[in-house]
């Protein structure tokens, strides 16, 4: 039985994955917990941009911030998020070459 809670969780997960920087953050945190400065350097983004994306991911309930003295470590909120990411990475998609939904230029074809 599906509930609004399930639908909301899927929508939040989809929103998080819809941005390549957030997807990279999630994939990185799936490998190991990380600190903002290290994540920013690894992903080649500014600390401000990373901070904004981490705030979004926290708001979606996908990552948690763990205080460690003066530093804050980020990790996935639930190990099952990592399992889902691993499963998604294993998918082989039959993509319509005429569809530009995931186009680099950010334009969509209106198919979804």
């Amino acid at each position: 039985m599906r509930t609004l809670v399930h639908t909301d969780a899927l929508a939040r997960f989809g929103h998080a994955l819809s941005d390549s920087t957030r997807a990279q953050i999630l994939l990185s945190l799936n490998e190991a917990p990380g600190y903002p400065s290290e994540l920013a350097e690894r992903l080649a983004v500014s600390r401000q941009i990373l901070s904004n994306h981490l705030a979004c991911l926290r708001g979606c309930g996908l990552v948690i911030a763990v205080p460690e003295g003066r530093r804050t470590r980020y990790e996935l909120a639930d190990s099952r998020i990592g399992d889902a990411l691993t499963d998604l990475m294993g998918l082989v998609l039959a993509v319509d070459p005429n569809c530009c939904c995931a186009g680099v230029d950010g334009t969509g074809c209106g198919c979804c």
Side-chain angles (χ1 to χ4, degrees), residues 69-92:
R70 293 180 152 194
R71 297 179 75 187
T72 301
R73 183 185 78 238
Y74 284 84
E75 59 189 51
L76 296 178
D78 188 310
S79 64
R80 292 174 292 185
I81 294 168
D83 295 339
L85 289 168
T86 299
D87 287 346
L88 287 171
M89 292 299 293
L91 288 176
V92 177

Side-chain angles (χ1 to χ4, degrees), residues 2-13:
R2 292 191 179 123
T3 66
L4 186 56
V5 172
H6 294 118
T7 304
D8 185 50
L10 285 174
R12 288 171 183 262
F13 196 63

